[in-house]
Amino acid sequence: MDTPKKNPHVTEHLANERTFLAWIRTAIAVMTLGVAINRFALFLMEIHQVLPEVRHLANRHVEKLGIGLVILGIVMLIGATWHYLHVGRTIEDETYRPANKVMVGTAILIIVVGGSALTWLF
């Protein structure tokens, strides 16, 4: 009996799939946070109509932050899908090289966005 030929890169593909699933979970979390922030912003605007003395709580820019987070989650999901497919191809071709510039660029972008959010909070 002939046994099917095993792919020598199974563990690499499984690691790639785990990474992709982690990106999916992260994108869902970011989109969920965006929806929650957006809904809370609407609550603050509604309570401002009922109780004008809480005017300092109504921040109309928070709604845009929520929408931005949902868009960021969608972009993350698109990027993760592209990266998953690309890495899968390069594993099979045995030409995989780590994307150091992309990782460092992503880290710098997160630092900038986090610093901006921190500045906005204070």
Side-chain angles (χ1 to χ4, degrees), residues 32-44:
T32 302
L33 179 62
V35 170
I37 287 173
N38 189 282
R39 295 297 109 191
F40 187 67
L42 291 175
F43 167 75
L44 289 178

Side-chain angles (χ1 to χ4, degrees), residues 31-109:
M31 288 187 281
T32 302
L33 179 62
V35 170
I37 287 173
N38 189 282
R39 295 297 109 191
F40 187 67
L42 291 175
F43 167 75
L44 289 178
M45 285 191 268
E46 289 295 323
I47 199 167
H48 171 67
Q49 299 298 325
V50 176
L51 302 169
E53 60 270 9
V54 292
R55 178 173 293 209
H56 65 284
L57 292 177
N59 188 342
R60 288 166 174 53
H61 302 294
V62 175
E63 182 181 2
K64 292 181 178 100
L65 174 64
I67 293 169
L69 285 172
V70 171
I71 292 169
L72 176 63
I74 292 168
V75 169
M76 286 173 59
L77 192 53
I78 292 168
T81 303
W82 177 85
H83 185 71
Y84 169 74
L85 295 172
H86 173 72
V87 169
R89 278 192 310 273
T90 59
I91 288 172
E92 280 301 312
D93 296 342
E94 296 183 357
T95 59
Y96 175 76
R97 298 283 181 262
N100 295 332
K101 292 178 183 176
V102 172
M103 295 299 126
V104 171
T106 302
I108 290 171
L109 180 64

